[in-house]
Amino acid sequence: MLYLIGLGLSDVSDITVRGLDTVRKCKRVYLEAYTSILMAADQESLEKYYGREVILADRELVEGGSDDILAGAQTDDIAFLVVGDPLGATTHTDLILRARELNIPYNIIHNASVMNAVGACGLQLYNFGQTVSLVFFTDSWKPESFYDKVLENRQLGLHTLLLLDIKVKEQSIENMARGRLIYEPPRYMSIATAAQQMLEIEESRKEGAYGPETPCIGVSRLGAPTQAFRADTLEQLAEYDAGEPLHSLIILGNRVHDLETDFIAAFAPDQERLRKAIKDDAQNFKKPEPPIVNMYDD
């Protein structure tokens, strides 16, 4: 059996009881180690808590070495650990599909992820639209695919959760070109960087998906004891020091419920400014023009 087991968001003990019992009976235990991190745990602490060896599974192993992970799973129990929920922010459907091809049964043990824990910020989960990812820009690469999804959400009055880039075990272009297995230090996108990049793309696109005065929430270390929220305009968050990672960013929809406003106001350094930004956004955000229907078309 292949087990995909969610670890939760922060501590070694965030794993469920069923998940922990399963880990301790498996022959091999892999930890997916490139899409996210447990903020208060590492490989050594996990091994101590589980009483088992934990094999780090980087991007190369997960995407190119699934046969190694699945080897023997027809007769043995294999655990594949994922920070958050196995099928939450990052899906691992490729591994499941490969297991199906090999007639290997699988079981998913769920846990909390950013996708549901983000409700702690005070916004109602069913008022969220598409979740999008934001990657680090380079001088020559500034992908804008997130922009259209934010615009679609905003046109529907829905909030947008942006998952910010994590660079773990990444190579520089030079080292890749020279075939050198030298990896860059880990990098985690901050709320400020995300806000700056978003404003840069709006300045380029000029389609009004959002702007400097758009109300937002910066989310820091969700699920950890040092969890923090900052409700402010996008322009203000572009200067915000959110401290240690991990971070996320929420762009509010243009129809914020009064209960949501009252809840998130406690996270604002200037409640009056936040309330004004929410009110102005509801009044000024430009909805898409309805299509013109020609009654004389065939």
Side-chain angles (χ1 to χ4, degrees):
M1 175 80 74
L2 169 67
Y3 290 94
L4 292 92
I5 303 173
L7 299 184
L9 293 169
S10 178
D11 194 78
V12 293
S13 59
D14 286 346
I15 191 172
T16 64
V17 173
R18 184 159 68 98
L20 181 59
D21 288 343
T22 301
V23 166
R24 288 175 171 167
K25 75 172 185 176
C26 285
K27 184 172 184 178
R28 295 195 311 277
V29 179
Y30 293 90
L31 171 64
E32 191 265 81
Y34 69 92
T35 60
S36 190
I37 60 169
L38 280 175
M39 291 172 284
D42 56 18
Q43 181 183 6
E44 183 180 353
S45 61
L46 289 175
E47 290 180 332
K48 181 178 180 180
Y49 190 74
Y50 300 154
R52 297 296 315 282
E53 177 189 5
V54 173
I55 304 167
L56 290 182
D58 58 18
R59 184 188 298 272
E60 295 171 4
L61 178 58
V62 176
E63 296 182 352
S66 60
D67 287 346
D68 293 334
I69 295 173
L70 296 173
Q74 290 92 342
T75 55
D76 297 317
D77 290 329
I78 308 299
F80 186 76
L81 311 181
V82 181
V83 175
D85 184 88
L87 302 179
T90 300
T91 60
H92 293 284
T93 52
D94 286 346
L95 189 60
I96 293 175
L97 291 173
R98 182 59 180 150
R100 286 179 178 175
E101 291 175 2
L102 298 172
N103 294 317
I104 296 171
Y106 66 90
N107 196 321
I108 300 168
I109 301 177
H110 294 285
N111 208 321
S113 78
V114 64
M115 303 293 285
N116 55 17
V118 73
C121 76
L123 299 178
Q124 297 165 3
L125 290 178
Y126 47 73
N127 286 339
F128 279 81
Q130 304 170 85
T131 297
V132 299
S133 297
L134 188 62
V135 302
F136 280 109
F137 287 174
T138 68
D139 292 339
S140 59
W141 188 59
K142 298 181 180 182
E144 302 178 4
S145 58
F146 74 89
Y147 185 92
D148 296 315
K149 293 182 180 180
V150 175
L151 179 57
E152 290 175 11
N153 287 345
R154 296 265 292 152
Q155 289 171 342
L156 295 171
L158 300 174
H159 313 309
T160 304
L161 170 63
L162 290 107
L163 304 177
L164 308 187
D165 201 5
I166 293 175
K167 297 291 189 185
V168 178
K169 202 177 180 182
E170 298 278 343
Q171 291 179 275
S172 68
I173 295 176
E174 179 183 356
N175 285 328
M176 288 180 64
R178 295 178 179 274
R180 297 184 301 211
L181 292 178
I182 300 174
Y183 300 101
E184 300 294 297
R187 288 196 299 152
Y188 307 96
M189 184 181 290
S190 68
I191 292 166
T193 297
Q196 292 161 12
Q197 291 190 176
M198 293 191 69
L199 290 171
E200 180 179 349
I201 297 302
E202 176 56 51
E203 181 65 24
S204 171
R205 294 281 292 263
K206 299 185 185 300
E207 296 177 34
Y210 50 81
E213 295 303 312
T214 300
C216 304
I217 301 176
V219 181
S220 307
R221 300 169 297 282
L222 185 64
T226 58
Q227 169 180 289
F229 303 103
R230 172 75 168 245
D232 215 327
T233 64
L234 189 59
E235 183 176 48
Q236 293 295 323
L237 288 178
E239 304 296 329
Y240 172 51
D241 182 358
E244 294 295 313
L246 297 169
H247 299 158
S248 303
L249 179 64
I250 301 168
I251 307 296
L252 270 61
N254 64 296
R255 293 199 302 267
V256 182
H257 194 281
D258 289 344
L259 291 177
E260 292 178 310
T261 299
D262 290 341
F263 198 112
I264 67 176
F267 305 132
D270 186 333
Q271 292 196 20
E272 184 177 344
R273 180 174 65 201
L274 177 70
R275 291 181 182 275
K276 182 179 186 302
I278 291 173
K279 182 178 179 181
D280 290 347
D281 190 50
Q283 294 175 344
N284 300 331
F285 179 74
K286 293 182 179 179
K287 309 294 193 302
E289 295 293 332
I292 298 174
V293 179
N294 189 336
M295 298 176 63
Y296 300 100
D297 284 345
D298 292 334

